[in-house]
Amino acid sequence: MPAMVLCVLPDPGNLRLHGVSIISRSAQEIGNYICVEDLRLRRDRFPNETSRSTPKLPNRQYSNFTICVRVIHNDYYKAQDIVNFIEVNRILGVDRFVFYADAGTANISSIRCLEHYSRLGIVELYPFTPPVPDPDSLLCHGQIITLNECPYRVMYRTKFVINIDLDELVVPTSAGNLTQMFSDFKSKNPDEDRVASYSFRNQFFPDQLDDDPYFSNDTAAKRFGVKPLLKTLKEDFIYKHHRRSKIIGRPDRILVWHTHSVLPEHLISRQDVVRFVDKSDALLYHYRQWSDGKELA
């Protein structure tokens, strides 16, 4: 099974670190060599917390919000789903997306869609090969692997990482976009800089229900299946934190990410905390076929 290996590296001084070897005991002969990137070099160039905004550098080197998406495989998602997901999140303030694709099983239209956004500089697309012969033996086709690989990949290139699926949106309920929401958090809480992870409660919007009457005859909304416009009936029930919740976090301050939470013991600094965002500030909107016997609002 996949595992995360943690070790303390010696201070290289003036030497650059290029790789490590993983062995089970000190006397074992070294039989592998894994190339690594020393993120300390990238850290020294990253804008600090006092920066008023993210610098606009060539090739969009830095971003404010990056979404990490689990592996695209088989026909689980279509190109239309990807377009809707990217464009709605761009409206909300996301400026970078990282996708992983299993080219051996993902449908070709999804791959071509992602390649198009990659040429625009909006998406980073990486190949993913399941590390075991039977991908079904991995949770969600290796979700936990990319869930933890992605934040390290974009560390010191983005301020926040958002870990959500293509049928989910983190929607501010008291601000116009994510940037304004975090600005409001900071203005209301003098200790906001201590927050390393934000948890958002889940609310379902069952997509088997009728379309919103206002947009039900909107040709464009229907043609492209824009669920935030079409699917406005929602369950009145909102799940508690740690149950179907999702996370926005600072990648440089979190050691291990879980699907629905970041545990306090997995924060790098003992001074850092997890913030459980109130439903009056934001919710995780979840669009999928769902029936849990809850009342609709």
Side-chain angles (χ1 to χ4, degrees), residues 142-162:
Q143 176 185 21
I144 200 67
I145 300 174
T146 58
L147 187 72
N148 282 278
E149 197 273 352
C150 183
Y152 283 94
R153 182 181 289 274
V154 299
M155 189 181 294
Y156 301 120
R157 294 197 291 132
T158 189
K159 290 184 178 179
F160 295 99
V161 160
I162 308 173

Side-chain angles (χ1 to χ4, degrees), residues 229-245:
L229 298 181
L230 296 173
K231 303 302 178 181
T232 54
L233 279 175
K234 58 187 177 183
E235 285 190 347
D236 191 45
F237 181 79
I238 301 174
Y239 285 79
K240 295 180 179 180
H241 292 285
H242 299 300
R243 287 197 62 208
R244 299 188 175 274
S245 53

Side-chain angles (χ1 to χ4, degrees), residues 41-52:
L41 302 176
R42 195 191 293 173
R43 176 191 61 194
D44 295 338
R45 300 190 296 266
F46 189 67
N48 59 42
E49 286 297 320
T50 60
S51 300
R52 293 182 61 84

Side-chain angles (χ1 to χ4, degrees), residues 55-290:
K56 300 299 182 182
L57 298 180
N59 301 319
R60 304 182 72 239
Q61 184 174 353
Y62 299 113
S63 65
N64 284 319
F65 298 98
T66 297
I67 290 184
C68 294
V69 184
R70 66 176 176 174
V71 181
I72 301 297
H73 64 95
N74 300 101
D75 289 321
Y76 198 72
Y77 290 115
K78 304 293 192 297
Q80 176 178 278
D81 301 318
I82 295 172
V83 173
N84 282 327
F85 179 79
I86 290 176
E87 295 302 335
V88 173
N89 274 293
R90 290 179 70 193
I91 293 172
L92 292 172
V94 177
D95 39 14
R96 176 184 283 130
F97 301 81
V98 177
F99 281 81
Y100 298 81
D102 183 348
T105 65
N107 67 70
I108 190 64
S109 63
S110 294
I111 297 296
R112 288 176 176 172
C113 176
L114 291 170
E115 289 174 341
H116 168 74
Y117 277 108
S118 178
R119 289 190 293 270
L120 296 177
I122 297 170
V123 161
E124 294 181 13
L125 177 60
Y126 298 100
F128 179 85
T129 301
V132 294
D134 180 16
D136 292 335
S137 66
L138 296 173
L139 176 64
C140 297
H141 210 85
Q143 176 185 21
I144 200 67
I145 300 174
T146 58
L147 187 72
N148 282 278
E149 197 273 352
C150 183
Y152 283 94
R153 182 181 289 274
V154 299
M155 189 181 294
Y156 301 120
R157 294 197 291 132
T158 189
K159 290 184 178 179
F160 295 99
V161 160
I162 308 173
N163 266 319
I164 56 176
D165 294 333
L166 286 181
D167 57 0
E168 298 170 332
L169 294 170
V170 175
V171 179
T173 52
S174 61
N177 53 51
L178 294 170
T179 301
Q180 184 60 52
M181 180 182 72
F182 278 92
S183 177
D184 292 345
F185 287 166
K186 192 173 181 65
S187 65
K188 296 175 183 178
N189 180 15
D191 294 326
E192 192 66 21
D193 287 341
R194 292 182 54 208
V195 181
S197 171
Y198 298 80
S199 173
F200 297 86
R201 297 174 63 185
N202 178 94
Q203 187 173 29
F204 278 111
F205 288 70
D207 66 5
Q208 74 269 28
L209 301 179
D210 292 338
D211 292 340
D212 183 280
Y214 186 81
F215 288 100
S216 60
N217 295 318
D218 187 296
T219 304
K222 295 283 286 186
R223 177 185 177 188
F224 296 106
V226 186
K227 290 183 179 179
L229 298 181
L230 296 173
K231 303 302 178 181
T232 54
L233 279 175
K234 58 187 177 183
E235 285 190 347
D236 191 45
F237 181 79
I238 301 174
Y239 285 79
K240 295 180 179 180
H241 292 285
H242 299 300
R243 287 197 62 208
R244 299 188 175 274
S245 53
K246 287 298 177 69
I247 302 299
I248 295 181
R250 303 174 187 264
D252 55 313
R253 292 159 64 177
I254 298 173
L255 191 62
V256 179
W257 297 66
H258 298 274
T259 304
H260 299 294
S261 64
V262 167
L263 303 178
E265 57 265 34
H266 290 155
L267 302 179
I268 292 176
S269 172
R270 292 184 179 180
Q271 304 300 317
D272 284 350
V273 297
V274 174
R275 174 170 181 162
F276 299 101
V277 178
D278 190 83
K279 65 180 182 180
S280 62
D281 290 315
L283 283 168
L284 179 75
Y285 285 10
H286 199 160
Y287 300 90
R288 58 174 286 186
Q289 287 199 12
W290 186 257

